[in-house]
Amino acid sequence: MNTRSGLILVVFGLLAAVAHPAAAQAPRDNNFTALAGAHLQEAQGEDDPVKAAEAYERGLRVSLDGIESDPDNSQSYFHAGVAYIGLRDYAKADSMLDIAEEMHPEYHEQTDLFRENGWIQAYNDGIGAMEEGDWNAAINQFSMANLVFDRRPEAYLNLGSSYANQGELESSMEAYGEAVTRIDLPENQDRDEAELARWQSYKVTAWLNSAQILVSLERPADAITYLEQILEIDPENQDAKTNLAVAMAASGQGGDATGIYEDIIQSPESNHIDLYNAGVGLYQAENYAMAVRAFEAALQKSPMFRDALQNVTQALAQAAREDETLWDRMPEYTGKLVEMDPHNELAFQLHGIALARTGSSDEAVALDEKRQALSFVIESLQLQPAGEGIRVVGAFVNRTMEQGVSTTLRFTFYDSAGDALGTADAEVVAPAQEMAEVFRVEFQGSAGVSGYSYEVIGS
């Protein structure tokens, strides 16, 4: 709301300064337009950005003088708009070009070219801000790109992504919707066929991201609509199938999604994330046996996928209530989970249950004694993107350590084959006993990371 008010004030200020120019005025050459045109031409031919900005400033000053001298001459507004684009002041550029177009509608062919050049400039600046993780700057740049030229979808797509990274989910969905609207604009249909085909693929991106947001907002029924639209135009879209199954489970239609889940589990195109998400949906639908299949398939694709490993043990424990033979498969998974996550209390409990159920009672008792002797536990581990890298976030809960003692956790990151890619350390200072300390550890070069483990290397 504040941004919108600010823009309105700028527009009114400009209109007041130019004394309400008359409409439908053909451009006229005069000393101001000739000199401004020369400065703008100089700016556009200058490779040095500092010198180019200085030339744009000169062209702008002359154009504003021209507007003051002859407020009915549309050419001076046109020149001022071009200068403002060069100076990256897109709100004022849009206002000036609006006036020029209103006074002389034939200007649209020229102003569209300059507007789209301004869009490219702001869009690229927005991409740079995204790469630096500056989401506020990215939102501003993509918004300015859309302000100066409102007929392309790409800035709206990235605006949606930037809003999502800021947690502004409703604004994110609105931006994705605007992207889809731009793709089918009649005035865009004369663009290059390859570009139009690429834009059509952006619809899938916008609908898929919107659906994921809706599920997170606990509106899965609305998400289903978007996902079904994707499958109408791309019936084999694996992401849409996976997310549709999750949305159906979240909306209480998990039983109806069984066929979709089966396709995901059987498809060689499903990656470990697709299979994991299918397992989560099946678990939520209380189809535990099929959830086990999904999580096991995820582990076949990525054997060091810690989350899938923990979930398959929990799904097995549930499924074994109906089929006790499944207990025999559990110790292999729970034992590996304890190795990968050696201060995870839940892992100890699950492994203890598995050992007890398979006749290894003495081992289960020894394991429980080891669990009780843990001086700290690690909870709530999450793998998250972090710029060009990746991070693990978790909670260090102090049980018996002296407050202030430092512990180093060394995390190893793995690719989908289970091969180590590298390590990163997290040094955690123990909080007061029974209190938690959140920690983060980042690993650069995240391409291919699909799993992690940790070990304690010092305390």
Side-chain angles (χ1 to χ4, degrees):
M1 182 63 70
N2 291 336
T3 301
R4 185 183 295 271
S5 299
L7 292 176
I8 291 172
L9 289 173
V10 169
V11 172
F12 282 145
L14 288 169
L15 291 176
V18 300
H20 300 284
Q25 296 293 316
R28 296 184 296 276
D29 293 327
N30 57 33
N31 290 339
F32 294 105
T33 60
L35 184 56
H39 287 313
L40 296 178
Q41 188 172 6
E42 176 190 356
Q44 291 161 0
E46 181 57 68
D47 293 330
D48 185 333
V50 175
K51 292 181 178 179
E54 292 172 349
Y56 278 122
E57 286 280 6
R58 291 193 292 271
L60 176 61
R61 287 197 298 270
V62 173
S63 297
L64 294 178
D65 289 343
I67 290 171
E68 184 176 359
S69 173
D70 184 4
D72 293 336
N73 188 354
S74 58
Q75 189 170 176
S76 288
Y77 298 96
F78 172 71
H79 284 159
V82 173
Y84 277 127
I85 287 175
L87 294 170
R88 287 176 159 77
D89 193 338
Y90 303 110
K92 292 180 181 178
D94 178 62
S95 298
M96 285 294 182
L97 294 177
D98 278 350
I99 295 171
E101 292 159 356
E102 182 179 357
M103 295 176 70
H104 184 60
E106 288 83 355
Y107 258 141
H108 272 288
E109 187 172 344
Q110 296 179 61
T111 55
D112 280 352
L113 292 173
F114 282 103
R115 283 180 179 276
E116 190 161 11
N117 284 337
W119 180 95
I120 292 170
Q121 189 171 265
Y123 177 80
N124 287 335
D125 288 343
I127 294 295
M130 286 183 76
E131 291 173 348
E132 293 175 3
D134 190 344
W135 301 112
N136 286 327
I139 288 169
N140 179 65
Q141 290 298 326
F142 293 132
S143 297
M144 289 298 100
N146 293 328
L147 176 67
V148 75
F149 187 73
D150 197 32
R151 283 170 33 194
R152 297 186 62 132
E154 298 97 330
Y156 279 109
L157 284 173
N158 284 294
L159 184 60
S161 178
S162 299
Y163 274 129
N165 276 284
Q166 287 289 78
E168 300 180 45
L169 301 184
E170 295 289 350
S171 295
S172 177
M173 282 196 298
E174 182 179 348
Y176 288 133
E178 294 290 351
V180 172
T181 299
R182 297 309 178 280
I183 291 168
D184 292 328
L185 286 176
E187 54 265 44
N188 279 333
Q189 301 316 303
D190 59 353
R191 285 183 174 270
D192 177 75
E193 288 186 8
E195 183 175 40
L196 288 176
R198 186 167 61 251
W199 284 11
Q200 288 297 320
S201 72
Y202 295 159
K203 283 184 180 178
V204 172
T205 300
W207 286 336
L208 183 61
N209 290 349
S210 295
Q212 291 172 338
I213 289 172
L214 285 165
V215 170
S216 73
L217 292 174
E218 299 183 354
R219 293 164 55 189
D222 294 333
I224 289 171
T225 300
Y226 283 112
L227 296 164
E228 288 177 339
Q229 285 178 307
I230 295 173
L231 292 170
E232 283 181 12
I233 62 175
D234 185 7
E236 300 306 315
N237 189 291
Q238 198 68 23
D239 288 334
K241 286 182 180 180
T242 302
N243 282 275
L244 177 59
V246 172
M248 292 177 73
S251 64
Q253 305 174 53
D256 297 335
T258 301
I260 300 173
Y261 286 126
E262 187 64 42
D263 287 345
I264 294 168
I265 294 171
Q266 294 288 345
S267 173
E269 301 300 319
S270 297
N271 60 34
H272 63 289
I273 299 297
D274 296 330
L275 294 161
Y276 174 80
N277 288 335
V280 171
L282 287 160
Y283 192 95
Q284 292 173 341
E286 299 183 1
N287 189 339
Y288 301 118
M290 200 168 177
V292 169
R293 290 178 55 208
F295 290 130
E296 286 183 328
L299 288 168
Q300 289 175 359
K301 297 274 187 176
S302 178
M304 298 301 285
F305 189 2
R306 193 206 71 92
D307 292 351
L309 188 62
Q310 178 167 303
N311 284 7
V312 75
T313 62
Q314 293 176 278
L316 274 167
Q318 293 290 344
R321 294 179 177 181
E322 296 183 2
D323 181 0
E324 291 190 358
T325 64
L326 293 175
W327 288 115
D328 293 335
R329 291 161 57 182
M330 194 168 167
E332 176 186 356
Y333 293 122
T334 54
K336 185 176 180 180
L337 181 61
V338 170
E339 290 178 7
M340 292 176 62
D341 195 352
H343 281 258
N344 178 346
E345 191 165 33
L346 177 60
F348 275 85
Q349 292 169 342
L350 290 168
H351 192 38
I353 292 170
L355 291 172
R357 287 285 188 168
T358 53
S360 300
S361 299
D362 291 343
E363 290 182 54
V365 170
L367 185 75
D368 192 57
E369 291 174 353
K370 186 176 180 180
R371 176 189 66 81
Q372 293 182 57
L374 291 173
S375 59
F376 65 88
V377 296
I378 300 297
E379 298 178 349
S380 306
L381 286 175
Q382 294 182 24
L383 191 65
Q384 302 175 345
E388 295 184 0
I390 205 152
R391 75 165 66 95
V392 174
V393 179
F396 178 106
V397 182
N398 185 10
R399 289 291 168 82
T400 61
M401 294 176 64
E402 181 181 347
Q403 184 175 358
V405 173
S406 177
T407 298
T408 300
L409 305 175
R410 174 158 295 168
F411 282 79
T412 302
F413 296 87
Y414 304 91
D415 63 16
S416 59
D419 296 326
L421 296 171
T423 63
D425 292 350
E427 184 174 345
V428 187
V429 177
Q433 290 184 8
E434 300 304 325
M435 299 298 291
E437 178 73 18
V438 175
F439 66 87
R440 295 172 177 81
V441 56
E442 293 196 6
F443 178 68
Q444 295 304 311
S446 63
V449 170
S450 62
Y452 63 94
S453 65
Y454 67 87
E455 58 182 323
V456 181
I457 64 170
S459 61

